[in-house]
């Protein structure tokens, strides 16, 4: 059945989908290959903020206690902080600041998370922690300017509802951490944005209690943050995991939860940031690398901005060491840094989003239609997926649309870009190569070429100001169609039939 897309816009496409993107631990951004990959992503997608763990962990070296004349002192050093943020700003992206983890010399215990050992215990001295927060935030303001840093959200910790990320998942201790931290941030400047509690899925009951706590004690909160994932428990295999998935609609339901739960609290109406989202939270789950993944997340990326102020893909980079140094060519992010940006289908989903217009004309279960200020019509469409794996996805899915185009045009130029099981799929090509652990130069060249979307073009008739578009999508395909009205500038003497020198019977006198 053909969907007749209206001429008048029904709304605007928000920037929530690219307001933020996730990254690995903070100091990875010192690497040249990391910066090269981020530069590519910024050119083709253009994220506004970037968020990762470990700003205050020992690898960044901010908290530097020392002994002098028999007493303990603390020096706050920002060499790595400055280098990373300078690189970010040069690439047109700004920090979404996550305050964590605990410096070892300030920690009350020795529990750590990840291969790089981020300490997840409360501070041994709350006063010293407040000093650290104040010094860090004040340094950012001094170096980058108050107006700039007021635009950087500051989030307190990461997933304190999980024992892996906060000792004992102690809610009262987190409330104290939030209170001390938020006041320290506001002591630098009242206009700075601070928020939390950065909850993982399954802890929504923390949100009303967090609202009650901050209201009762007049603790500042400028935004609410949580995470959204759709994967089940990890099924471990050597150097990786497999997980079941719930339907992608469950991610959108998780996006909607904070506003619903906080509707009758003191935090009602605050901005909501999903500071991590994905199918799986595990970088070593190969699902991230597949065409299935792009089609699975397409309705979330296309529709999430109707529910929240931002949602941050976890993560942009394959240089990601939570479970150790990557052991395979593919490792959880958009593309592989150390082999010069081999892109994945989910990367192209985001690159397609960057080419959409800002006026929304129509939404459907399998498509999004937009228009930009020039009249260019863009269609993002995706094939359905089956998360159970029990039923094979159909080899063909059809989307039929009637699209409005600029009046007066008789033809339209169509440019279509697609990724699928067969197209734009370096993961599939790598499998067909025999999954080489260390691909040689020619294999890498082939993988980079295989990773590019397939592009097609055509001329379509415009009838009564409309274009009939029939999209036949293959299994797990995500496609972007761009339609522009044609202004024919063919000179009167041009004849395609004469390319081989044959006369047309219409020779000039």
């Amino acid at each position: 059945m053909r969907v007749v897309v209206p001429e008048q816009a029904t709304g605007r496409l928000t920037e929530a989908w690219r307001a933020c993107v996730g990254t690995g631990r903070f100091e990875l951004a010192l690497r040249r290959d990391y910066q090269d990959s981020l530069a590519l992503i910024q050119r083709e997608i253009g994220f506004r903020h970037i968020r990762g763990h470990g700003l205050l962990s020992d690898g960044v070296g901010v908290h530097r206690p020392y002994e002098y004349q028999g007493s303990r002192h603390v020096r706050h050093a920002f060499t790595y902080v400055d280098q990373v943020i300078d690189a970010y700003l040069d690439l047109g992206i700004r920090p979404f600041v996550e305050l964590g983890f605990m410096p070892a010399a300030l920690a009350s215990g020795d529990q750590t998370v990840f291969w790089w050992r981020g300490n997840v215990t409360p501070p041994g001295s709350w006063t010293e922690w407040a000093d650290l927060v104040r010094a860090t935030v004040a340094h950012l303001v001094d170096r980058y300017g108050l107006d700039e840093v007021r635009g950087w959200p500051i989030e307190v910790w990461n997933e304190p509802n999980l024992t892996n990320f906060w000792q004992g998942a102690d809610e009262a201790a987190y409330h104290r951490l939030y209170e001390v931290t938020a006041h320290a941030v506001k002591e630098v400047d009242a206009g700075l944005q601070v928020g939390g509690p950065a909850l993982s899925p399954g802890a929504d009951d923390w949100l009303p209690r967090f609202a009650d706590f901050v209201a009762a004690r007049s603790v500042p909160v400028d935004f609410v943050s949580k995470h959204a994932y759709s994967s089940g428990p990890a099924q471990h295999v050597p150097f990786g995991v497999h997980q079941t998935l719930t339907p992608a609609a469950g991610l959108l339901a998780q996006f909607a939860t904070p506003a619903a739960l906080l509707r009758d609290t003191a935090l009602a109406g605050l901005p909501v940031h999903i500071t991590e989202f994905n199918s799986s939270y595990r970088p070593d789950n190969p699902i991230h690398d597949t065409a299935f993944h792009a089609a699975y997340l397409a309705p979330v990326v296309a529709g999430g901005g109707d529910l929240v102020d931002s949602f941050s893909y976890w993560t942009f980079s394959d240089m990601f060491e939570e479970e150790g140094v990557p052991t395979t060519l593919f490792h959880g992010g958009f593309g592989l840094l150390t082999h010069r940006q081999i892109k994945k289908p989910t990367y192209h989903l985001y690159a397609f989003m960057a080419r959409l217009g800002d006026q929304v004309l129509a939404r459907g279960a399998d498509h999004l239609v937009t228009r930009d200020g020039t009249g260019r019509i863009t269609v993002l469409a995706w094939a359905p997926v089956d998360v159970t794996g029990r039923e094979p996805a159909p080899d063909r899915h059809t989307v039929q649309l009637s699209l409005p185009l600029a009046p007066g045009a008789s033809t339209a130029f169509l440019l279509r870009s697609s990724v699928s099981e067969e197209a734009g799929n370096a993961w599939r090509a790598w499998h067909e190569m025999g999954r080489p652990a260390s691909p040689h130069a020619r294999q890498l060249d082939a993988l980079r070429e295989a990773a590019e979307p397939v592009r097609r073009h055509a001329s379509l008739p415009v009838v009564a100001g409309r274009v009939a578009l029939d999209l036949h999508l293959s299994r797990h395909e995500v496609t972007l169609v761009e339609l522009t009205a044609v202004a024919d500038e063919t000179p009167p003497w041009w004849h395609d039939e004469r390319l081989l020198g044959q006369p047309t019977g219409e020779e000039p006198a």
Side-chain angles (χ1 to χ4, degrees), residues 32 39 77 86 104 115 135 143 157 170 222 238 241 256 271 299 334 339 401 413 430 433-434 454 485-486 503:
R32 179 177 176 179
D86 287 355
W115 169 79
R143 184 174 179 86
W157 213 256
D170 187 329
D222 298 299
V241 301
F334 276 153
H339 293 82
L401 303 170
F413 175 70
W430 182 62
M433 287 179 179
V454 166
V486 171

Side-chain angles (χ1 to χ4, degrees), residues 12 355-359 361 370-378 404-407 409 413 482-487:
R12 302 193 75 81
R355 296 189 62 81
L356 294 178
D358 61 346
Q359 304 169 40
L361 300 184
T370 69
R371 179 173 57 209
D372 67 14
T374 70
R376 181 181 62 109
I377 298 292
T378 45
L405 207 64
F413 175 70
E482 301 172 76
L483 278 175
T484 52
V486 171

